[in-house]
C-alpha cells in the first residue's frame, strides 16, 4: 500500500502521528497488527491447506513442521472419495440455492405486499413476523422438529427431504424487514404512474420495484446462501440419511476413523467455496452487514 | 359498492403475495411457539398424550443437570462477554486508528465467519490436542506452562469460548468499526485541546459516542451466547469432562433427542425463554433509566 486512505480525525490526531516519535510508534503498531492478524486469522487456513498435503505421520508429528517435507497432493483426492465430498458438496449447494430461490420469491413478494399493497392487518402481520426475532431460536427447535415430522393439515413427513431445510428458511423476518424498508423508499408517484399506465401489481413489482432493488436483493441473497452453508443443528436433525447430508454434518460424522491428514484436506476443500465467495463479494457482504444492523 | 369490491380485490391480491411467507411463518415459527407452550404441560408415552400440569417443570428442576447446565451457561456467557465483547471492540478501536492496510485487516477479521463451523471446530480440536497440538507446542516453546485444554474440566469451557470468539468475532468487529467511523472528529479535537490524554479520550468520547450500538450488541450477544450449542457439542461431544461444558441448549437437545422426552425439553425451552425475556426487559429498563 503506497499511500493511506483519506481519513477523518480519530482518537489520535494526524499531527501527533507526524511527529518522529509518533511515526515510530505508528509503524511498529502497524507491523505488529498486520503480522499478528495474519498469523491469527490466516495462519489456521495455511495450516489447513498445508496439513492436507502432509503425510499421515507428519501431520501428528511433534514439533509440527511449517512446510510439508514431502508433498502428498493425493491426500486431497483421497479425501474427496473417502468422505464422499462430491455428494456432500452437491447437497450443500442444492440446499443453499433452493433456499435462496424460495426466499427470493416469497420474501420479496411478502415485503412488496406489506410495503406497497398494504392489506388490512398488514401491520399486525409485520409485527407478528418481527416478534419471532425476539424468540430464542433454541426454544423452537423441538416443536419445529415435530412439525417437520408431521406437517400440520397435510400430515406429510419432511424428514430426509430438502423441503425440511428450504421451507423454514422462508420464515425470515429479518429479510422481509430489510426488503420492506427498501421498498418503502421507492416513491409512491412512480407506483401511481405505473398503475395509470395499466400495470398490475405483478408487473409493477417486476418492472419497477425489482430493478431498483438490486443492492438489497444482493445482500439478502448472500446471507441466504451463507446461512444454509453454515447451519449445523437443524440439518443434523432433519437429514439423518448420510446420502442427504450437507458438508457440515457429513464431514463431522465421517471424520472418525479416517487419517487426520485426510480429514484436514477435506476441511480445506469444504472451506474453499465460502472463502472464495467471500473474497469475490466482500464489498457487498461488508456493506450489507453494517447497513442491516446499524440503521435498524 | 364498487369501491368496497375494489378494496376486497386489492386485499385478495395482497394476501396472494403474502401467502408463501404466511405458510412458512405459520408452520415454522407461530405454530411451534404455541405448541412449545402446550407441550411443556403434556407428557407423551407410546404415542398417547396426556396433560400433566407442572410435572415437567418440577421434574427438570429436580434434575441435578438443570442447575449444572445453567451454571455452565452462565460461566460461558460471562467468559464470552469478557472475550467476545471486549476483544472485537478493542480490535475495532485499533483498526480505526490505522491509516494503512485497512481493507486487508477487515477481510482477515471476517474470514473465520465464512468458514463452515465443522472446519473451524475441528481445526481448534487439532490445535487443542494436548499431545501434538499447536497451542501446547507454542506455549512450550515460549517456556510457558501447557494446558490440557478441552480434556480438563477446569479449562474446557474457556477453550470452547476462545474457539467461539475466533469463529464469531468478525461480525461484531465490523459493526463497531462502522460505529466508530461515525464519531465526529471535532469531539476528539476539543477533548485534546482540553488536555485529555489517550485513555481519557477513549473514556469520554469513544465510549459515550458508541454507547447505543455497544449496549444493543451487548444485549444481542448475551441472548446469543446463552443459546450456545454447536461449539460445545462439536468440540467436547456436548458434555465435556465431568459435564463441564454441558449448556442449557445441550440439555434441551438431550431431553428431546437422546431420551425422547419432548415434554421436559419443551419445559426447559420455556424456562429459557422466560429467563431471556426477563433479562431483556430488565436490561431495556435499566438503559432507559440511565438516559
Amino acid at each position: 500500500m503506497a499511500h493511506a486512505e483519506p481519513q477523518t480525525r480519530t482518537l489520535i490526531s494526524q499531527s501527533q502521528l507526524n511527529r518522529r516519535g509518533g511515526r515510530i510508534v505508528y509503524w511498529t503498531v502497524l507491523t505488529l497488527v498486520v503480522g499478528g492478524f495474519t498469523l491469527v486469522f490466516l495462519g489456521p487456513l495455511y495450516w489447513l491447506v498445508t496439513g492436507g498435503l502432509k503425510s499421515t505421520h507428519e501431520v501428528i508429528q511433534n514439533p509440527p513442521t511449517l512446510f510439508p517435507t514431502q508433498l502428498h497432493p493425493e491426500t486431497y483426492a483421497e479425501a474427496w472419495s473417502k468422505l464422499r465430498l462430491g455428494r456432500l458438496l452437491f447437497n450443500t449447494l442444492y440446499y443453499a440455492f433452493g433456499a435462496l430461490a424460495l426466499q427470493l420469491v416469497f420474501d420479496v413478494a411478502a415485503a412488496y405486499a406489506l410495503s406497497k399493497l398494504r392489506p388490512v392487518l398488514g401491520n399486525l402481520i409485520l409485527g407478528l413476523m418481527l416478534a419471532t426475532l425476539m424468540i430464542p431460536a433454541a426454544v423452537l427447535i423441538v416443536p419445529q422438529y415435530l412439525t417437520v415430522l408431521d406437517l400440520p393439515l397435510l400430515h406429510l413427513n419432511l424428514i430426509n427431504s430438502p423441503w425440511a431445510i428450504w421451507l423454514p428458511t422462508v420464515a425470515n423476518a429479518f429479510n422481509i424487514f430489510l426488503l420492506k424498508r427498501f421498498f418503502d423508499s421507492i416513491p409512491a408517484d412512480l407506483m401511481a404512474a405505473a398503475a395509470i399506465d395499466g400495470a398490475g401489481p405483478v408487473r409493477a413489482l417486476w418492472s419497477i420495484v425489482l430493478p431498483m432493488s438490486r443492492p438489497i436483493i444482493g445482500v439478502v441473497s448472500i446471507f441466504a446462501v451463507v446461512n444454509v452453508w453454515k447451519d449445523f443443528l437443524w440439518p443434523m436433525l432433519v437429514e439423518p440419511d448420510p446420502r442427504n447430508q450437507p458438508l457440515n454434518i457429513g464431514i463431522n460424522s465421517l471424520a472418525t476413523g479416517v487419517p487426520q491428514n485426510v480429514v484436514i484436506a477435506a476441511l480445506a476443500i469444504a472451506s474453499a467455496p465460502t472463502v472464495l465467495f467471500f473474497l469475490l463479494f466482500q464489498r457487498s457482504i461488508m456493506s450489507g452487514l453494517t447497513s442491516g444492523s446499524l440503521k435498524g | 359498492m364498487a369501491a368496497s369490491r375494489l378494496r376486497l380485490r386489492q386485499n385478495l391480491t395482497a394476501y396472494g403475495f403474502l401467502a408463501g411467507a404466511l405458510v412458512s411463518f405459520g408452520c415454522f415459527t407461530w405454530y411451534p411457539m404455541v405448541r412449545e407452550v402446550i407441550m411443556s404441560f403434556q407428557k407423551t408415552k407410546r404415542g398417547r398424550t396426556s396433560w400433566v400440569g407442572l410435572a415437567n417443570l418440577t421434574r427438570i428442576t429436580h434434575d441435578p443437570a438443570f442447575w449444572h447446565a445453567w451454571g455452565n451457561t452462565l460461566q460461558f456467557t460471562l467468559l464470552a462477554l469478557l472475550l467476545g465483547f471486549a476483544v472485537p471492540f478493542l480490535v475495532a478501536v485499533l483498526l480505526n486508528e490505522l491509516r494503512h492496510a485497512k481493507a486487508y485487516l477487515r477481510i482477515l477479521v471476517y474470514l473465520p465467519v465464512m468458514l463452515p463451523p465443522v472446519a473451524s471446530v475441528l481445526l481448534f480440536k487439532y490445535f487443542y490436542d494436548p499431545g501434538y497440538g499447536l497451542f501446547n507446542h507454542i506455549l512450550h516453546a515460549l517456556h510457558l506452562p501447557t494446558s490440557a485444554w478441552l480434556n480438563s474440566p477446569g479449562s474446557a469451557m474457556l477453550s470452547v469460548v476462545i474457539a467461539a470468539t475466533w469463529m464469531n468475532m468478525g461480525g461484531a468487529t465490523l459493526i463497531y468499526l462502522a460505529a466508530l467511523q461515525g464519531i465526529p472528529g471535532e469531539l476528539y479535537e476539543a477533548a485534546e485541546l482540553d488536555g485529555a490524554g489517550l485513555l481519557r479520550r477513549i473514556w469520554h468520547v469513544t465510549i459515550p459516542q458508541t454507547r447505543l450500538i455497544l449496549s444493543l450488541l451487548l444485549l444481542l450477544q448475551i441472548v446469543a451466547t446463552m443459546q450456545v450449542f454447536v461449539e460445545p457439542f462439536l468440540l467436547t461431544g456436548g458434555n465435556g469432562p465431568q459435564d463441564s461444558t454441558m449448556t442449557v441448549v445441550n440439555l434441551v437437545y438431550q431431553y428431546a433427542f437422546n431420551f425422547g422426552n419432548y415434554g421436559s425439553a419443551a419445559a426447559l425451552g420455556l424456562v429459557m425463554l422466560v429467563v431471556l425475556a426477563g433479562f431483556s426487559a430488565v436490561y431495556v429498563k435499566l438503559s432507559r433509566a440511565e438516559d
Side-chain angles (χ1 to χ4, degrees), chain A residues 4 7 9-12 26 38 40 62-63 119-120 128 136-139 143-144 167 171 230 248 252 260 274 294, chain B residues 11 15 24 28 30 36 96-97 99-100 104 113-114 116-118 126 131-132 137 166 185 192 201 213 227 234 273:
Chain A
Q7 172 111 19
R9 158 80 215 236
T10 55
L11 199 49
I12 296 161
Y26 174 78
T38 307
V40 169
N62 202 357
V120 225
L128 284 174
V139 171
Q144 273 174 338
L167 286 180
K230 290 193 52 134
N248 275 321
N252 189 53
Q260 220 183 77
T274 35
L294 266 185
Chain B
N11 269 316
Y15 276 95
S24 182
F28 297 104
W30 296 333
E36 164 86 13
N96 200 39
E97 293 311 313
R99 269 70 166 165
H100 301 83
Y104 172 70
V113 180
M114 301 305 284
V118 67
Y126 294 140
Y132 57 82
H137 179 73
W166 186 84
E192 199 169 11
R201 264 175 276 157
I213 199 84
Q227 300 179 65
L234 283 176
L273 179 71

Side-chain angles (χ1 to χ4, degrees), chain A residues 196-272:
Chain A
I196 289 166
D197 286 347
V202 178
R203 173 132 192 124
L205 171 63
W206 186 256
S207 17
I208 297 177
V209 175
L210 282 185
M212 293 180 76
S213 310
R214 262 191 220 140
I216 196 72
I217 287 174
V219 167
V220 168
S221 308
I222 287 166
F223 286 122
V225 171
V226 172
N227 283 343
V228 173
W229 206 277
K230 290 193 52 134
D231 205 6
F232 185 87
L233 177 56
W234 185 249
M236 178 175 76
L237 291 175
V238 299
E239 306 293 343
D241 186 338
R243 281 173 304 175
N244 295 337
Q245 283 174 348
L247 278 167
N248 275 321
I249 326 303
I251 292 183
N252 189 53
S253 52
L254 294 172
T256 39
V258 176
Q260 220 183 77
N261 57 338
V262 178
V263 177
I264 294 171
L267 296 178
I269 297 173
S271 306

Side-chain angles (χ1 to χ4, degrees), chain A residues 232 248 252 267, chain B residues 112 115-128 150 160 163-164 166-167 229-237:
Chain A
F232 185 87
N248 275 321
N252 189 53
L267 296 178
Chain B
L115 295 182
V118 67
S120 334
V121 162
L122 288 182
L123 197 67
F124 269 86
K125 230 175 168 173
Y126 294 140
F127 288 167
Y128 279 141
L150 296 167
V160 172
W166 186 84
M167 288 163 71
F229 173 81
V230 175
E231 288 90 349
F233 182 81
L234 283 176
L235 278 169
T236 61

